[in-house]
Amino acid sequence: GANMTINQISVFLENRVGQLAQVCKVLAENDISLVTLSLAETQDFGIARLIVDDHVKAETVLRTNKFLVKTTPDVAVTVPDRPGGMAQVVSTLSEKGCDIEYSYAFAFNNNEKAVLVFRFKDDDAAQRVLAEAGFTTLHENQLQEAAN
């Protein structure tokens, strides 16, 4: 099947004030639109997970600004906008034994839909499970259009 992953950028943030603001500033100065941002923290550092309209450019400018950056393939699933929509996706994945490393959600298309972003141990297997269950995964360019 077609691979429907999106490119997510992880930026490692030192645990000091202003790091996230600096990331946003660098992106803005370089005319990069943010689709969504999720922040995870450990005791020693934070990880900002970004989906942007141009991940190659974003990665380059962040590196130039001395940020530690890593790009990973994630899967973005649109969730029906009704109670339990998210639970349905997650329970389908766990029933089929898909190992989720992390997940976060954001609103999409003027809040008409929710999107769940997943990082899986095995993308192909997870995408197959989602497709068989009738869930829609998004292409990267669909997310990019939403950013602009």
Side-chain angles (χ1 to χ4, degrees), residues 16-53:
R16 60 170 205 259
V17 177
Q19 287 275 289
L20 186 61
Q22 188 59 31
V23 169
C24 294
K25 186 168 170 261
V26 167
L27 295 176
E29 282 167 358
N30 289 278
D31 210 32
I32 296 163
S33 290
L34 206 52
V35 179
T36 188
L37 181 154
S38 159
L39 199 55
E41 261 180 73
T42 68
Q43 223 161 359
D44 304 313
F45 61 92
I47 300 172
R49 299 194 170 109
L50 318 174
I51 296 171
V52 293
D53 64 347

Side-chain angles (χ1 to χ4, degrees), residues 15 17 19 25 31 50 54 57 59 75 77 80 98-99 108-109 111 115 119 122 125 127-130 135 140 142:
N15 217 340
V17 177
Q19 287 275 289
K25 186 168 170 261
D31 210 32
L50 318 174
D54 185 340
K57 185 177 173 189
E59 199 175 333
V75 177
V77 186
C98 295
D99 198 344
F108 184 65
N109 271 5
N111 295 343
V115 175
R119 171 87 176 128
D122 181 344
Q127 286 174 332
R128 210 161 38 244
V129 165
L130 290 165
F135 293 111
E140 188 157 54
Q142 292 173 290

Side-chain angles (χ1 to χ4, degrees), residues 4-113:
M4 292 282 283
T5 55
I6 55 165
N7 287 287
Q8 176 204 260
I9 295 178
S10 299
V11 189
F12 295 87
L13 306 175
E14 289 167 37
N15 217 340
R16 60 170 205 259
V17 177
Q19 287 275 289
L20 186 61
Q22 188 59 31
V23 169
C24 294
K25 186 168 170 261
V26 167
L27 295 176
E29 282 167 358
N30 289 278
D31 210 32
I32 296 163
S33 290
L34 206 52
V35 179
T36 188
L37 181 154
S38 159
L39 199 55
E41 261 180 73
T42 68
Q43 223 161 359
D44 304 313
F45 61 92
I47 300 172
R49 299 194 170 109
L50 318 174
I51 296 171
V52 293
D53 64 347
D54 185 340
H55 71 93
V56 178
K57 185 177 173 189
E59 199 175 333
T60 307
V61 300
L62 287 166
R63 285 220 164 104
T64 305
N65 283 270
K66 303 288 184 277
F67 284 102
L68 186 60
V69 182
K70 175 174 105 180
T71 300
T72 49
D74 284 14
V75 177
V77 186
T78 57
V79 178
D81 191 15
R82 57 169 187 265
M86 196 177 289
Q88 210 183 341
V89 176
V90 176
S91 58
T92 300
L93 288 164
S94 66
E95 276 160 28
K96 302 283 186 186
C98 295
D99 198 344
I100 300 169
E101 288 185 14
Y102 60 74
S103 173
Y104 55 91
F106 63 96
F108 184 65
N109 271 5
N110 299 324
N111 295 343
E112 276 172 37
K113 285 193 184 101

